[in-house]
Amino acid sequence: MGLFDGKVGVILGVANEYSIAWQIAKYLHAEGADLAFNHLPDKDERRRMERRVRRLVEPIGAKLIKPCDVSKDEDIQEFFTAVKDTYGKIDFMVHSIAFAPREDIQCPTLEASRNGFHIAMDISVYSLIATARAASALMESGGAILTMTYFGGERVVPGYNLMGVCKAALECAVRYLAYDLGPRNIRVNAISAGPMKTLAASAVGDFDQMLSLHRTIAPLGRNVAQEELGKAAAFLLSDLSSAVTGEVLHVDCGYNIMGAPGKSFKEFVDKLQAR
Ligand SMILES: NC(=O)c1ccc[n+]([C@@H]2O[C@H](COP(=O)([O-])OP(=O)(O)OC[C@H]3O[C@@H](n4cnc5c(N)ncnc54)[C@H](O)[C@@H]3O)[C@@H](O)[C@H]2O)c1
């Protein structure tokens, strides 16, 4: 018997096989969940976005795969109307979406443009509020909402820049949404994940170096495995965490607890110098 037998959920943010949303979806599906997926609308007839997502999610029996650009209210409305028509009600939603224009994330935060800030905050933060509103309307008997954040929203991580500002706002939105939705027994939480090599991560500085620094500093001495995000998501989306809401759960091999680098740091610096 699976933890999610008989449960229906919406997964927002699968772009390809490396997406965190896909790692979570695979785990939830293996535990019995029935899942609906969005993809970014395609701009031409080759339908590359749609085909990439369909190739992954059709084999796990997804009944609903539909475009939804979360910066457009009409897309969100159409998407959740289709979810309602297909399933009637849902039990959970995973929001695993972030975006900032490359030039506004790769420059110092000081130089970020007003327009870049608006776009980044809209897609990476407001979209949680807008989709939580639509999804919660379909959660008749309580539910759970999960979003993805990163340590760069709590502390300065060079290279994360404007996205750190967005993650701070996202984590705060999690708490206010948890307050608003608590009376309806809908819980809202975030996972703060250690670095994972994905499409979105490619916009953030020297990623191999970030992974290496992470495993050097983290008490567990390694990077997070994809399946570990699936397991943590299953906890936060299931009854196992029935009294947990408004939380940011660090799934980062303990990196966030460190105030200074430990024993393996010298080795890391030596390797850097030898490059
Ligand atoms: N990769 C990491 O190291 C890491 C660490 C911590 C948190 N996160 C967060 O995890 C989440 C997922 O990112 P990922 O690393 O899996 O990368 P990803 O590129 O696979 O996922 C990002 C998703 O956002 C979607 N998206 C962007 N703009 C959109 C829009 N306007 N409408 C709808 N969808 C849109 C993309 O299509 C993509 O599916 C993000 O919030 C990211 O900040 C990532």
Side-chain angles (χ1 to χ4, degrees), residues 13-16 18-21 38 40 68-71 96-99 123 148-150 160 167 193-196 198-201 207:
V14 175
N16 57 34
Y18 304 107
S19 294
I20 289 174
N38 85 315
L40 264 181
C68 177
D69 177 341
V70 294
S71 67
S96 186
I97 288 175
F99 177 79
I123 297 178
M148 298 304 305
T149 187
Y150 175 64
Y160 206 59
K167 292 305 190 192
M196 313 285 297
T198 64
L199 199 61
F207 204 74

Side-chain angles (χ1 to χ4, degrees), residues 8-12 76-77 79-81 83-84 88-95 127-146 181 184 186-188:
V8 174
V10 167
I11 307 279
L12 302 176
I76 293 176
Q77 198 185 335
F79 180 80
F80 281 95
T81 300
V83 172
K84 187 176 183 192
K89 66 185 190 71
I90 61 172
D91 301 287
F92 63 86
M93 176 182 85
V94 174
H95 170 278
S127 68
L128 174 67
I129 297 175
T131 56
R133 186 161 60 233
S136 61
L138 305 181
M139 293 176 181
E140 287 169 7
S141 39
I145 293 172
L146 176 67
L181 292 169
R184 288 156 59 190
I186 297 172
R187 299 179 297 106
V188 186

